[in-house]
Amino acid sequence: MLSGIGDQAELQRLGIPVVQHLPGVGQNFQDHFGIGCVWEYQQPLAPRNQGGEATFFWKSNPGLDTPDLQTCQGEFAFCSAEMAAKFNPPAACWTLFGGVVRPKSRGQIRLTGPNPDDPVQIEANTLSHPDDLRAGIACVELCREIGNSAALRPFTKREVMPGNLRGAELEDFIRDATATYFHQTCTAKMGRDSMSVVDAQLKVYGIKNLRIADGSIMPRVTTGNTMAPCIIIGERAAGSLAERPQVRDVVGVAFEGLRRKRSTGNTLGRTASHANEIQAVLVLVTIQIGCTGVPLFAHPNFSGKASEMQLRRITVSRDGVPQFWRQFGDPLLNRLIAEGISSSKDPCDRRFPNQRSQGHASRV
């Protein structure tokens, strides 16, 4: 939105020049929410591995076509600040964190000012739809039934929260205990209606050479964790870009040079002319694919510049050219990247001076 892409009335209200009127930008916000039901251990057990290795899906209503609940077991007390103050769970606890994964509530993201430093207003509107509250009630009841079952009794000294609540008390507990599953998505949805932001190729409507490849393009949040779907979205975006002749050719040129240098035993950057040659090739790659907004390549040694973060994960393998993704641990390639783009300017800055993408075009 800071780039001038969004709802025209909102942009004009903040004095941002309109580049493209897309009223769906920032709308359709969705998230999975969860409610912590906590038990005290019979004998304290230290969390293992990541502290939660069991999950299940269930239906809040038998008449549903698909499950709408997902519960994760956590080997610690997971509760909101309000519930922690009220129930004061002891240190040795475990949790069934029951989540509603097909929510009907919709929120939005809005700007509060025209500057990048102005805070973003996130209106999640969690539990605004009555069906979500009903699903939350069913979820808590299911978690309590399992947590208090005979099978788990050897691990349970007592139920810490919520206890046997009913009616308005249970509803109040759910509203106070609800927390995010950190699956915020859907604010730049794919589709063909007036509120859609990207098409089937992830291209932003009305803007040339700009794509979005993350969870924001989902029309509806997935029924479960969002990490794997986001990886698939990125892979599909990279795959479609890899089929573009100019991208395929320039990547082939870059790695043909790399392969030649390796075969002759030369090290990258041994001469100034060689370093300039590598830099020219990678600046060309940046120009070719940098403005697409698709995160194509990343490495932990990167300093975080936008031009660097946009060179992520384009998996091209033609005529034996090695794939980027397979070169993560290759110090030769790391040096190639560092020499090639450490000083290059993000070409997107010329087109959208008000917003650097930092490799995430969907940031609004």
Side-chain angles (χ1 to χ4, degrees), residues 308-327:
E308 295 171 347
M309 295 304 292
Q310 285 164 343
L311 277 171
R312 283 190 183 177
R313 200 176 188 186
I314 182 166
T315 53
V316 177
S317 181
R318 295 264 200 292
D319 301 323
V321 176
Q323 295 183 357
F324 277 165
W325 198 247
R326 294 178 181 174
Q327 303 297 315

Side-chain angles (χ1 to χ4, degrees), residues 118-183:
D118 293 327
V120 175
Q121 181 174 327
I122 302 175
E123 300 172 1
N125 289 335
T126 305
L127 292 171
S128 59
H129 197 289
D131 286 353
D132 291 350
L133 180 59
R134 282 191 282 268
I137 291 172
C139 189
V140 169
E141 291 173 345
L142 174 64
C143 288
R144 293 193 65 243
E145 181 180 353
I146 294 172
N148 292 321
S149 65
L152 292 179
R153 204 161 292 153
F155 304 98
T156 304
K157 181 177 181 180
R158 66 182 178 97
E159 180 182 358
V160 177
M161 55 182 272
N164 189 24
L165 303 180
R166 290 288 183 267
E169 286 186 324
L170 180 55
E171 292 183 7
D172 289 343
F173 167 79
I174 289 172
R175 293 189 183 279
D176 289 337
T178 290
T180 179
Y181 250 106
F182 303 102
H183 295 163

Side-chain angles (χ1 to χ4, degrees), residues 6-7 21-28 186-189 194-197:
D7 181 72
H21 172 58
L22 288 175
V25 175
Q27 301 299 310
N28 194 43
C186 305
T187 54
K189 73 169 187 172
S194 61
M195 297 300 288
S196 297
V197 178

Side-chain angles (χ1 to χ4, degrees), residues 228-283:
C230 287
I231 290 174
I232 298 301
I233 292 168
E235 290 282 5
R236 291 297 298 271
S240 65
L241 285 171
E243 294 304 315
R244 293 168 59 191
Q246 64 270 35
V247 173
R248 188 169 63 242
D249 292 346
V250 75
V251 172
V253 167
F255 278 97
E256 179 60 30
L258 170 63
R259 193 165 49 187
R260 240 181 241 145
K261 294 298 179 183
R262 296 182 76 170
S263 65
T264 59
N266 292 341
T267 58
L268 290 176
R270 178 171 291 177
T271 66
S273 61
H274 183 203
N276 291 338
E277 177 186 351
I278 295 299
Q279 180 170 345
V281 169
L282 286 179
V283 169

Side-chain angles (χ1 to χ4, degrees), residues 84 111 223 237 285 289 358:
L111 298 179
T223 306
V285 175
I289 64 179
Q358 297 294 326

Side-chain angles (χ1 to χ4, degrees), residues 69-88:
L69 306 178
Q70 179 186 7
T71 297
C72 295
Q73 188 268 339
E75 301 172 23
F76 46 83
F78 192 98
C79 54
S80 67
E82 293 83 358
M83 294 298 95
K86 181 175 181 179
F87 290 95
N88 191 26

